[in-house]
Amino acid sequence: MCYRDVLQNNTLKFSIIAAAMLLLTACGYKPVSHYSRQIAAKPLYLEVTLSHKNPDSGVFLKDAMWEALQYRLGSRITDDVQTAERLKVSYRVVSLVALGYDTHGYVERYRVNLETTFDLLTGGRHIRRTIRTTHDADVTPSAMESSRAKREAIKACAVKAVDRFIAFMAAHAAKA
């Protein structure tokens, strides 16, 4: 290849990249974090309602929700319900489905189906969304390990639900 061909090839690549950047900025593209930080600009009061069928997962679920919201929204979680936006989260384990068994008949793999309902009260607006998530977990025949794996799977479902709710909030804010 001669110098002229290389120059034309690089010019074409630069033009495509520049056009893509111009398109993204010209159409008003803003990342999800921009909209979600606008919605949750104030401290959040997080209230997690425990499931009657699976109350032992409630503490782990509340911790998972707190960590996910703290990390993804950058918001402060507070105990003062009067001065904060309120986020009520309720969940229920829809099902624990055995996916695989070993040669002795012990369950080796579970699928957790979780339904999480988010109610965000912010600035006179009420945003409500129910999100269903699933997560597969490997377990061992040990009862303690099996219980821990189920709790971790529920926690992973909760984090997925938080991610989906944040995406929903961002889309909701972009429309407003």
Side-chain angles (χ1 to χ4, degrees), residues 8-161:
Q8 284 179 344
N9 192 14
N10 286 340
T11 304
L12 179 63
K13 287 179 185 177
F14 176 76
S15 299
I16 291 172
I17 291 172
M21 293 300 291
L22 181 64
L23 180 65
L24 284 176
T25 56
C27 70
Y29 170 78
K30 294 178 184 161
V32 169
S33 61
H34 173 78
Y35 293 111
S36 59
R37 288 186 201 282
Q38 282 181 339
I39 290 176
K42 295 181 183 177
L44 277 175
Y45 174 77
L46 178 62
E47 178 183 330
V48 178
T49 305
L50 302 180
S51 169
H52 300 292
K53 290 184 179 179
N54 217 1
D56 61 331
S57 301
V59 175
F60 300 105
L61 186 70
K62 186 170 184 176
D63 288 344
M65 292 284 178
W66 186 86
E67 289 172 12
L69 288 167
Q70 186 76 19
Y71 177 73
R72 285 159 177 84
L73 292 179
S75 58
R76 299 176 312 268
I77 308 296
T78 183
D79 292 333
D80 187 10
V81 70
Q82 301 300 326
T83 62
E85 296 174 341
R86 295 175 60 193
L87 178 61
K88 294 181 182 179
V89 180
S90 59
Y91 76 98
R92 71 183 183 98
V93 176
V94 176
S95 63
L96 288 166
V97 180
L99 296 178
Y101 298 90
D102 68 4
T103 56
H104 302 292
Y106 292 111
V107 176
E108 288 184 319
R109 193 159 179 79
Y110 277 103
R111 173 169 289 148
V112 175
N113 297 305
L114 185 74
E115 184 177 278
T116 311
T117 302
F118 295 89
D119 284 307
L120 179 65
L121 304 169
T122 175
R125 295 188 318 179
H126 179 225
I127 301 171
R128 181 182 178 103
R129 184 74 173 180
T130 300
I131 298 171
R132 291 171 185 83
T133 54
T134 63
H135 186 77
D136 297 346
D138 293 325
V139 296
T140 62
S142 165
M144 283 185 17
E145 276 298 310
S146 178
S147 179
R148 184 197 59 75
K150 288 176 190 176
R151 282 194 310 268
E152 290 298 319
I154 290 170
K155 192 174 172 179
C157 280
V159 172
K160 287 180 186 178

